[in-house]
């Protein structure tokens, strides 16, 4: 059986936001994954699958048509009844434990599958049930989802479990677009030769990620850092407290990637770029802004009316 050749991560032109969000999750899995949104044909899936040769953990891909049994696993009743012990056909959630779970077109998942994902992400376990028999398996993974919002939005309950958000952008630079076409043609013509051309860059990337991971335990987060993070979250009007927690983990990964054992405000600001976009209460913020503007306008009108009345009295 021939080994599958994946397009090299280092060979993808542009999409620097997606690259960084993925790398930060490899450095620090506690970030919790990344949601990648953008129009089709912008290398979203290519970049995600390009991680497979780089990582040393399970990579499990979930098709959008996945069944509940395929996702969670099922209990073999015949063997269970015959042998007196529970026999399980493991699902994709169990296979992803300790690794990466990838779902393309994640916004198109049925509600029943989305519910199961949310349960696994919130509890870190996968519950398998059949005919009154149930058991739990550990299922802790980094979730990566790609989507095109033109196909519909994703439920907010699931969106919040993604640590980071990255937007895919089609290049408008003529030279970049020409280079993309050239590289794709070269890869299709000679995949092995193309991979060899970028192998040194792939090795260097893997080494830099491993070096950053070794620094993670040494990174200190000061009270000043925490105060800056919390204030940034409040000012961004994000929902809940998950953003504060993810901000800390992301800032640590940013610092480690830059070879530091401490975080500064630049690291925190860089983290915020990826942590805030999908968590902002934009509607609520706009409502508060409009409410404030209406109050200010009412106060101005009252002051103007008072001034007019005073003028009239003096005349």
């Amino acid at each position: 059986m021939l080994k599958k050749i994946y397009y090299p991560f280092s060979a993808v032109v542009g999409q620097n936001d997606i690259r960084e969000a993925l790398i930060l999750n490899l450095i620090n899995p506690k970030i919790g994954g990344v949601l990648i949104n953008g129009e089709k044909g912008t290398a979203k899936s290519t970049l995600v699958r390009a991680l497979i040769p780089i990582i040393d953990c399970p990579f499990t891909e979930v098709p959008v048509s996945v069944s509940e049994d395929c996702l969670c696993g099922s209990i073999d009743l015949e063997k269970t009844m015959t042998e007196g012990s529970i026999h399980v056909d493991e699902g994709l959630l169990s296979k992803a434990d300790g690794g990466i779970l990838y779902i393309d077109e994640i916004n198109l998942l049925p509600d029943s599958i989305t519910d199961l994902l949310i349960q696994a992400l919130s509890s870190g376990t996968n519950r398998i049930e059949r005919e009154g028999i149930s058991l739990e398996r550990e299922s802790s993974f980094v979730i990566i989802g790609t989507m095109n919002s033109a196909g519909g939005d994703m439920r907010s309950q699931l969106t919040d479990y993604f640590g980071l958000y990255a937007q895919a952008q089609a290049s408008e630079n003529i030279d970049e677009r020409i280079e993309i076409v050239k590289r794709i043609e070269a890869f299709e013509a000679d995949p092995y030769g193309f991979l060899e051309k970028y192998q040194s860059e792939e090795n260097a990337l893997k080494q830099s990620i491993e070096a950053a991971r070794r620094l993670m335990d040494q990174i200190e987060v000061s009270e000043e850092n925490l105060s800056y993070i919390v204030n940034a979250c409040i000012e961004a009007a994000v929902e809940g407290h998950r953003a504060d927690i993810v901000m800390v983990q992301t800032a640590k990964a940013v610092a480690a990637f830059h070879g530091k054992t401490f975080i500064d405000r630049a690291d925190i600001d860089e983290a915020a770029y990826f942590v805030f976009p999908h968590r902002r209460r934009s509607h609520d913020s706009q409502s508060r802004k409009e409410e404030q503007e209406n109050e200010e306008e009412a106060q101005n009108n009252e002051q103007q009316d008072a001034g007019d009345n005073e003028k009239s009295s003096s005349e």
Side-chain angles (χ1 to χ4, degrees), residues 9 42 54 70 76 88 99 111 121 178 188 211 235 246 289 293:
F9 192 89
T42 49
I54 298 174
C70 183
D76 188 325
V88 177
D111 283 344
L121 288 164
I178 291 174
E188 291 178 348
E235 289 177 8
V246 176
K289 183 178 179 182
E293 289 174 351

Side-chain angles (χ1 to χ4, degrees), residues 20-307:
E20 183 174 354
L22 291 171
I23 289 171
L24 292 176
N25 271 280
L26 295 185
I27 293 171
N28 185 8
K30 290 181 180 178
I31 290 172
V34 55
L35 177 62
I36 304 169
N37 187 18
E39 59 191 25
K40 58 185 179 181
T42 49
K44 301 187 300 294
S45 299
T46 299
L47 271 168
V48 176
R49 295 188 180 108
L51 296 177
I52 295 173
I54 298 174
I55 60 177
D56 55 0
C57 62
F59 183 97
T60 305
E61 186 163 349
V62 177
V64 73
S65 59
V66 66
S67 67
E68 293 186 19
D69 281 352
C70 183
L71 182 68
C72 297
S74 61
I75 296 173
D76 188 325
L77 284 179
E78 185 176 347
K79 283 187 177 180
T80 298
M81 299 301 291
T82 302
E83 300 181 17
S85 59
I86 299 177
H87 283 262
V88 177
D89 293 324
E90 300 291 353
L92 296 176
L93 289 179
S94 294
K95 292 177 182 178
D97 184 41
I100 291 172
L101 186 81
Y102 170 51
I103 309 172
D104 189 20
E105 303 292 351
I106 190 169
N107 55 318
L108 302 183
L109 285 176
D111 283 344
S112 59
I113 299 298
T114 300
D115 289 338
L116 293 172
L117 272 177
I118 292 171
Q119 189 276 327
L121 288 164
S122 63
S123 67
T125 61
N126 170 34
R127 178 177 288 275
I128 306 169
E129 297 180 328
R130 187 177 178 188
E131 303 294 337
I133 302 173
S134 66
L135 72 156
E136 288 187 347
R137 289 278 197 270
E138 288 190 6
S139 184
S140 178
F141 49 83
V142 172
I143 184 169
I144 299 176
T146 49
M147 62 175 281
N148 180 354
S149 55
D153 293 329
M154 191 169 65
R155 279 170 52 186
S156 60
Q157 295 97 323
L158 179 57
T159 302
D160 189 47
Y161 280 102
F162 287 90
L164 310 181
Y165 176 93
Q167 182 71 35
Q169 300 285 354
S171 175
E172 296 182 358
N173 181 284
I174 293 176
D175 292 335
E176 281 190 357
R177 293 177 77 107
I178 291 174
E179 184 62 25
I180 290 169
V181 174
K182 286 181 176 179
R183 293 189 186 186
I184 294 295
E185 288 185 339
F187 176 71
E188 291 178 348
D190 182 11
Y192 289 95
F194 188 83
L195 179 60
E196 185 177 353
K197 180 180 177 181
Y198 287 92
Q199 195 59 57
S200 60
E201 292 182 49
E202 295 288 279
N203 292 338
L205 174 61
K206 187 173 182 178
Q207 289 170 8
S208 65
I209 291 171
E210 290 172 350
R213 294 185 73 168
R214 288 193 294 269
L215 285 176
M216 282 298 300
D217 290 338
Q218 303 176 43
I219 297 177
E220 298 181 357
V221 182
S222 66
E223 287 293 325
E224 182 182 351
N225 293 150
L226 289 175
S227 179
Y228 187 71
I229 287 170
V230 170
N231 281 318
C233 291
I234 293 172
E235 289 177 8
V238 296
E239 293 186 351
H241 299 286
R242 200 185 306 276
D244 308 55
I245 298 166
V246 176
M247 277 277 282
V248 171
Q249 297 298 336
T250 306
K252 289 171 68 176
V254 171
F257 193 53
H258 294 316
K260 300 184 298 185
T261 56
F262 62 90
I263 65 173
D264 54 30
R265 292 193 173 190
D267 299 324
I268 296 170
D269 291 340
E270 191 170 336
Y273 179 78
F274 296 102
V275 174
F276 288 164
H278 57 310
R279 292 189 170 87
R280 283 194 173 97
R281 290 177 293 199
S282 55
H283 176 73
D284 292 344
S285 299
Q286 185 64 27
S287 298
R288 286 196 297 272
K289 183 178 179 182
E290 291 176 355
E291 191 176 306
Q292 184 177 1
E293 289 174 351
N294 291 336
E295 288 177 359
E296 290 175 354
E297 184 178 354
Q299 290 175 359
N300 291 335
N301 290 338
E302 288 177 4
Q303 291 174 358
Q304 185 175 352
D305 291 342

